[in-house]
Amino acid sequence: MGKIGIIIQREFNERVRKKSFILTTILTPILFLGIMAAVFYLAGTNLSQTKEIMVVDRSGFVAAGLPSDKSAVLVPTELSAEEIRAAKTAGEYPNLYGILVIGEDILSDPHAASLYTFEPSTFDIESSLAMKISDAVEAEKLKAYDIEDLPEILAAVKTNVTVSAFRVDESGKEKQSSSGLAMGLAYIFGFLIYMFVFLYGMMVMQGVIEEKSSKVLEIIVSSVKPFELMMGKILGIAAVALTQFVIWVVFLFAVGTAVLHLFPGLTGAVPEALADGNMADIAAMQGMDPAMLSAIETVTDSSFLLTTIGGFLIFFIGGYLLYAAMFAAVGSAVDNAADAQQLQLPITIPMMLAIVVMISVMKDPNSSLAFWFSMIPFTSPVVMVARLPYGVPAWEIALSVALLFATFLAMVWLAGKIYRVGIFMHGKKPSLGELLKWAKYKS
């Protein structure tokens, strides 16, 4: 362990003193916050150009009920579609996007509407027009019932219902849940695990390749065993990763605290009301959405933070150690990064599959698919972390962690056997079959 400790210290010091480490540590959270701000800005901003569409209404009633909006200006016309096309070809209507033709039998045939565009159409435009036409047709059909003040009646009965969700624990205690927050955290945590496991795993592989190419390894292994060298490199880079995470968590916590102070009252009576669970009183006090307040209550709950943040760190460490061992074995078997592409494929497939399964997990976090993929060690770092914000039984988390770290130990043993042979091999890119032969060699 003394030799492994020296290697860990060497790997850690070599990387944290690089300018690239300092820059990524500072810029990554700033870039992340900038991306989040840009997403919210773009979601609330219409950056597309307003499109002009001429409406040829053969039914005689639809065009009058088609409103224009920011995405499309609808202009009723008495011209035929053929006349409009000819005029467009002759240079008239230079800004015309397309022609909407409404069939005369639109009441009986809902497919009797066609859009002819002079540039590629978009799903948003087509769905928006379909909805507007549907509203106009439904309004025309309702006229046949001859109900007095029908628009006023429809407006009066229209009701938007919101459902407040509560989770009942084993003791019968109710606690308001926030599915939107859970889904958001599942996305963020799952992709962070996926991204950073590969980022730091590739760092291990690249480091092994560089040392092997410079013949440094042949000198180092005269003093330490190959297995000790591999473990020291893996754990040293893990220490670098944890250092970055601690810095990022402190930075984001400081930013979050500053943002909370921008909302009046969030540092006075509101926290006391949150502790008492009086969500309705808080909503009335601050004029805020109860769902947002529920999310605030959730993210400030100590047990929730311990489960999600602690679980994220545990599964990140386990996932990194598992995949770093495999990346180290691949790096020892090749002479350059280009030769590693083929051998990386079996490593990347399970994590890519985990991302696909994660999307399904967010729809039903307690399904059989979610359970089994959160137990399989090669996919559990992503899938289990995506389940954590929804609440997972403690025994499932414990079993998943045990399987993950047991598989890591087995993979370290297997990768170590490949590593001790591969670091001395040069000039030939081995196949998967040859790697298995190396693993079978006796020590």
Side-chain angles (χ1 to χ4, degrees), residues 353-381:
L353 180 61
I355 289 293
V356 174
V357 173
M358 183 188 73
I359 307 300
S360 174
V361 164
M362 289 185 291
K363 297 178 182 178
D364 187 359
N366 296 313
S367 65
S368 298
L369 180 71
F371 172 80
W372 287 110
F373 273 85
S374 62
M375 294 298 137
I376 298 173
F378 297 98
T379 57
S380 63

Side-chain angles (χ1 to χ4, degrees), residues 167-225:
R167 182 168 182 174
V168 183
D169 59 21
E170 296 178 355
S171 63
K173 184 179 179 181
E174 298 178 0
K175 184 176 181 180
Q176 189 164 2
S177 60
S178 177
S179 59
L181 174 66
M183 179 174 289
L185 290 177
Y187 263 117
I188 293 172
F189 284 168
F191 277 106
L192 283 179
I193 288 281
Y194 174 84
M195 181 173 62
F196 286 120
V197 162
F198 274 105
L199 174 65
Y200 294 111
M202 293 287 289
M203 194 180 294
V204 171
M205 185 185 73
Q206 189 63 36
V208 173
I209 293 174
E210 290 176 357
E211 291 177 350
K212 181 180 176 181
S213 301
S214 63
K215 308 295 184 180
V216 173
L217 281 177
E218 296 179 4
I219 300 175
I220 295 177
V221 295
S222 63
S223 302
V224 299
K225 295 179 181 179

Side-chain angles (χ1 to χ4, degrees), residues 69 90 101 131 160 165 209 234 251 310 386:
D69 54 28
V101 179
M131 187 178 299
N160 295 321
I209 293 174
I234 290 174
F251 174 80

Side-chain angles (χ1 to χ4, degrees), residues 264-343:
L266 281 181
T267 56
V270 174
E272 299 176 2
L274 279 171
D276 297 333
N278 300 322
M279 305 302 293
D281 294 342
I282 303 172
M285 185 189 310
Q286 299 296 320
M288 297 174 66
D289 184 1
M292 179 181 294
L293 291 170
S294 175
I296 294 174
E297 181 188 31
T298 301
V299 297
T300 54
D301 181 72
S302 58
S303 62
F304 176 83
L305 291 175
L306 179 63
T307 302
T308 54
I309 304 300
F312 173 83
L313 290 175
I314 290 172
F315 280 95
F316 165 73
I317 293 172
Y320 161 75
L321 293 175
L322 175 62
Y323 278 88
M326 292 188 285
F327 277 115
V330 170
S332 67
V334 298
D335 293 328
N336 54 70
D339 291 339
Q341 296 293 329
Q342 181 181 354
L343 298 178

Side-chain angles (χ1 to χ4, degrees), residues 86-163:
K88 174 71 175 178
T89 304
E92 299 182 43
Y93 311 122
N95 298 323
L96 184 62
Y97 174 78
I99 308 168
L100 178 62
V101 179
I102 309 297
E104 58 185 11
D105 55 346
I106 189 69
L107 282 174
S108 58
D109 182 9
H111 303 291
S114 302
L115 176 65
Y116 303 91
T117 62
F118 300 103
E119 58 185 82
S121 181
T122 65
F123 176 79
D124 289 343
I125 287 291
E126 294 170 11
S127 58
S128 175
L129 291 176
M131 187 178 299
K132 292 175 181 179
I133 296 171
S134 297
D135 292 341
V137 172
E138 289 171 3
E140 186 67 18
K141 288 182 177 180
L142 286 173
K143 289 181 181 179
Y145 292 92
D146 196 21
I147 301 175
E148 188 177 356
D149 299 328
L150 180 60
E152 290 78 8
I153 295 173
L154 292 176
V157 301
K158 185 176 181 180
T159 306
N160 295 321
V161 177
T162 58
V163 177

